[in-house]
């Protein structure tokens, strides 16, 4: 099983955060302070740090990885993000190569199978 364990409680500001990353100078370390400097100060916003680690944009110490640098090149951002999602959820895409087209309930069902029931419904819904 290779499902990421980080998640967001809300995706309301995710696109704003990703847009801000594309226009900001890459930090030496992606930290809560850096996120706050981009005006994302809520507890929910901070969860994006774990997601960026899962997507291999930053390492466990917060240092940007090559994928981060490719993402901030706005001519490549969409492709880089798509590749990162497919890589991070490779088990899901191995089951269904069109997993990005599945509805929420179908994805939750596949996650239940892939996680062998290890995650609660609340976590799977996030």
């Amino acid at each position: 099983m290779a499902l990421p364990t980080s998640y967001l409680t809300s995706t309301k500001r995710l696109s704003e955060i990703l847009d801000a990353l594309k226009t900001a100078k890459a930090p030496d370390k992606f930290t809560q302070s850096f996120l706050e400097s981009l005006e994302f100060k809520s507890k929910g916003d901070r969860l994006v740090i774990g997601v960026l680690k899962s997507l291999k944009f930053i390492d466990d110490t917060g240092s940007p990885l090559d994928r981060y640098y490719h993402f901030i090149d706005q001519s490549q951002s969409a492709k880089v993000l798509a590749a990162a999602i497919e890589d991070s959820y490779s088990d899901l895409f191995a089951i269904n190569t069109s997993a990005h087209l599945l509805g929420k309930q179908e994805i939750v069902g596949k996650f239940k199978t892939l996680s062998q029931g290890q995650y609660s419904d609340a976590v799977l819904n996030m």
Side-chain angles (χ1 to χ4, degrees):
M1 177 188 70
L3 289 177
T5 57
S6 57
Y7 55 87
L8 301 174
T9 55
S10 170
T11 58
K12 184 172 84 171
R13 298 197 64 193
L14 179 59
S15 111
E16 291 175 55
I17 293 170
L18 294 175
D19 286 344
L21 298 184
K22 289 186 270 187
T23 58
K25 180 181 181 251
D28 293 330
K29 296 278 186 189
F30 196 106
T31 62
Q32 181 180 328
S33 296
F34 174 71
L35 196 57
E36 289 175 358
S37 76
L38 299 175
E39 300 302 319
F40 299 102
K41 299 177 182 184
S42 79
K43 289 181 183 179
D45 295 339
R46 294 177 201 151
L47 297 174
V48 80
I49 295 171
V51 171
L52 292 174
K53 288 178 183 179
S54 293
L55 293 174
K56 298 181 180 87
F57 277 48
I58 58 176
D59 68 16
D60 288 337
T61 69
S63 296
L65 298 169
D66 284 343
R67 186 173 276 167
Y68 185 100
Y69 298 115
H70 291 293
F71 176 76
I72 62 175
D73 173 352
Q74 294 182 33
S75 69
Q76 299 185 67
S77 298
K79 288 180 183 180
V80 171
L81 182 58
I85 292 168
E86 190 170 340
D87 182 44
S88 295
Y89 291 91
S90 60
D91 284 357
L92 177 62
F93 282 93
I95 291 172
N96 186 330
T97 57
S98 296
H100 60 288
L101 300 174
L102 297 175
K104 181 176 180 176
Q105 290 308 314
E106 293 172 298
I107 290 173
V108 168
K110 299 293 184 203
F111 283 176
K112 282 183 181 181
T113 300
L114 290 169
S115 68
Q116 300 175 336
Q118 291 180 357
Y119 303 126
S120 69
D121 286 340
V123 168
L124 290 170
N125 279 307
M126 299 290 176

